[in-house]
Amino acid sequence: MDLTRRNLLLGAGIITGSYLLPSPLAQAAASSSKKFTSVAELQAAIDIATVGDVLLLAAGTYSDAAITIATNGITIRAELAGKVIFNGSSHVLIKGNNTLFGGFQFLNGEYPGIVIRVFGSDNRIEDLNFFGYCAKKYINLEAGSQRNEISYCNFENKPVSAPMGNLVGVIPDPQLPGYHRIRFCSFKNNPGAGGDNGNEPIRLGDGAVSTYISRTIVEYCYWENTGAGDSENISIKCRENIVRYCTFKDNQDGALVFRNGINNMAYGNSFINAGGIRIKEANNIFCFDNYFENSGTSGRSNAITLEYVDNNLNNINFISNTFINCGAIILGGVGPVLNRWANNLFVKPTGTIFSKPNQGTQWLGNIHQGLLGIPATLGLKAGSPRLTHKLDDYYRPTVTSSTRSASVVGFVIPAIYDGLAPNNPLGLDLFQNTRPLKVSQWDVGAIQYARNSKNHSWLTAKSTGPRYV
C-alpha cells in the first residue's frame, strides 16, 4: 500500500482528486535550475534573476542567512527538500510577486523580529519547518499584499524565552482585501504558562484594524498541544474570513476565537479532545457543520463560550453542528441579541449541556440527549440520536436516528463574499457531501446519513506539514 501523504489524505476522505496535482516544488524541479553552495551566491543570483528562474540552495546548514527577494516570478528552494537548515539569525524578506520559496527548515535559531515578511503578492511559501526557533514571529503577510499562500508548513516548539508574537500573522489593509490562504499547515507543541500570551499560532488582524476586510481562508490545518503557548489557536480580529475543514485535537487549553470583527465564519472543522469556539467582541458570526467531541472537558477552554461585551454578540449563528460528550456551552448571559441555534445535535450523558442562558436566542430544530441546564424551550427537542461509532472515526447517525430529515427552516443563510467560494457551503455536510435540496430532508447535526458512507478521519500531524517529513 502506498502510504504517501497525499494517498493518506485521499483515502481518509480529507481531500479529493482535485488536490492531487504536482506541487510547485516538484514542477520547479523539472525545469532548468541553478545550484548554489552559499547564501551570498544565492542572493547575487536572486538579484539578477529573470522570470522562470529556479534557484537551488545545496544541502547543508547555513547560519545568519539574510535573504531578500525583490525579483518577480522566480523559485527559490532547497535542492533536497528538508536538507537545507537555517539557524543563527536567519531571516527572509519577500518584496517580489509570484515567487515560490520552500523546502527549508528553520531550526533552533534566534532572530528578534519576524523571520519571514511578505510584502509582495501571489507568492507561495511551502514546505517549511520551524522548530525551536526563538523569534518574535515566524511569518507575516503584510498590509497591501494579496493572494499569498502559506502551505504544508510546520510550526512547533516556539521557546518560552522568545518575544511574544504570533507564529503566522495576516495584517489587513484598509482598502485592499488580502485573499490569502493558509492551508495544510500544522501547529504543535508550543510550551508556556497558558492563557492569552500574544503567541497565537495564527492571528488575522488586531483590535486596531478590526474594521478592515481581510478575506483570508484558513483550511485543512492541524493543531495539537498549542494551548500552553497561547489560549487562542486562531485569533480573528478583522472581517470576512473563513476557517474551514481544520482539525483541533488534544488541545484542551486552546480555542478558535472570533475576538473582533464582523462577518466571519467557521465550517467543517473538527474539535477532538480540544477547546472549541469562543466569540467575544464580534457580530454576524456563522459556525456550521462543525463537529465537537470531548471538547472543553478539561483545561482552560470550553466547547463554546459567548463572552458578552457591550454592543457585541449580535447575530451569532450555530447551524447544523454536532456536540458529543462536550464540556460547557456558555450562552453569554444578559446582553446577546438575535442569536440563532438551528438544527444542532447535542449528546451528553452526564452533566448539563448549557449555562448562562440569554434572552436573545432563537432555537430552531435542535435535538438533544441529556439535561439542558436552561429552561425548556421550543426548538430544543429531546431525541434518540442512535449514533454509530468506530475507533478514530466520527459519531454518525444510523438509519433509525431521530436526527434523520429533522431539520427546519428559519435560520439565516450566511453571505459569501467575492472570492470566497463555494457559493453555498451550508449545503454541504462535514464531509463535503451535498445535502438534499429541501432543508426538511437535512439530518440534524454536522453529518448527513449515507447508506454506504466512506470512511472519514480528521487531519493529523502526518497529513499536514512539510511533505518531506
Side-chain angles (χ1 to χ4, degrees), residues 75-111:
T75 293
I76 301 100
R77 67 177 183 88
E79 180 190 17
L80 298 173
K83 299 300 183 181
V84 172
I85 296 170
F86 292 129
N87 61 18
S89 61
S90 297
H91 57 284
V92 179
L93 179 63
I94 301 176
K95 297 180 179 179
N97 305 316
N98 294 294
T99 292
L100 189 149
F101 181 84
F104 304 104
Q105 297 201 64
F106 291 80
L107 304 182
N108 304 313
E110 184 170 359
Y111 182 69

Side-chain angles (χ1 to χ4, degrees), residues 151-314:
S151 58
Y152 299 100
C153 296
N154 179 59
F155 305 87
E156 187 169 1
N157 196 32
K158 178 181 177 180
V160 175
S161 60
M164 289 192 303
N166 50 269
L167 307 188
V168 175
V170 173
I171 310 301
D173 187 86
Q175 297 179 328
L176 291 174
Y179 295 107
H180 304 297
R181 288 202 178 194
I182 304 167
R183 55 202 312 264
F184 290 107
C185 291
S186 53
F187 303 85
K188 307 192 300 288
N189 303 322
N190 283 323
D196 186 1
N197 294 319
N199 288 321
E200 304 98 327
I202 296 178
R203 182 194 291 175
L204 308 181
D206 59 42
V209 300
S210 62
T211 61
Y212 296 177
I213 294 173
S214 177
R215 295 187 183 169
T216 293
I217 295 177
V218 180
E219 61 183 359
Y220 303 104
C221 291
Y222 176 78
W223 282 257
E224 179 182 325
N225 192 31
T226 63
D230 195 278
S231 62
E232 300 186 6
N233 298 321
I234 307 176
S235 184
I236 298 178
K237 300 180 178 181
C238 50
R239 296 173 56 184
E240 299 178 16
N241 303 285
I242 292 176
V243 179
R244 64 187 183 191
Y245 308 121
C246 293
T247 296
F248 306 85
K249 188 173 184 295
D250 296 336
N251 203 12
Q252 290 281 3
D253 288 334
L256 163 56
V257 180
F258 295 99
R259 184 64 177 78
N260 301 104
I262 64 173
N263 301 337
N264 293 298
M265 66 180 68
Y267 63 85
N269 301 292
S270 299
F271 301 83
I272 312 295
N273 191 34
I277 293 175
R278 180 165 70 97
I279 306 173
K280 193 175 181 181
E281 296 173 81
N283 298 307
N284 301 342
I285 303 299
F286 287 84
C287 303
F288 53 93
D289 291 322
N290 300 293
Y291 179 89
F292 303 78
E293 182 180 333
N294 298 326
S295 174
T297 55
S298 61
R300 293 177 172 86
S301 296
N302 301 306
I304 301 293
T305 301
L306 303 185
E307 188 175 348
Y308 180 70
V309 177
D310 287 349
N311 300 315
N312 290 284
L313 294 187
N314 184 358

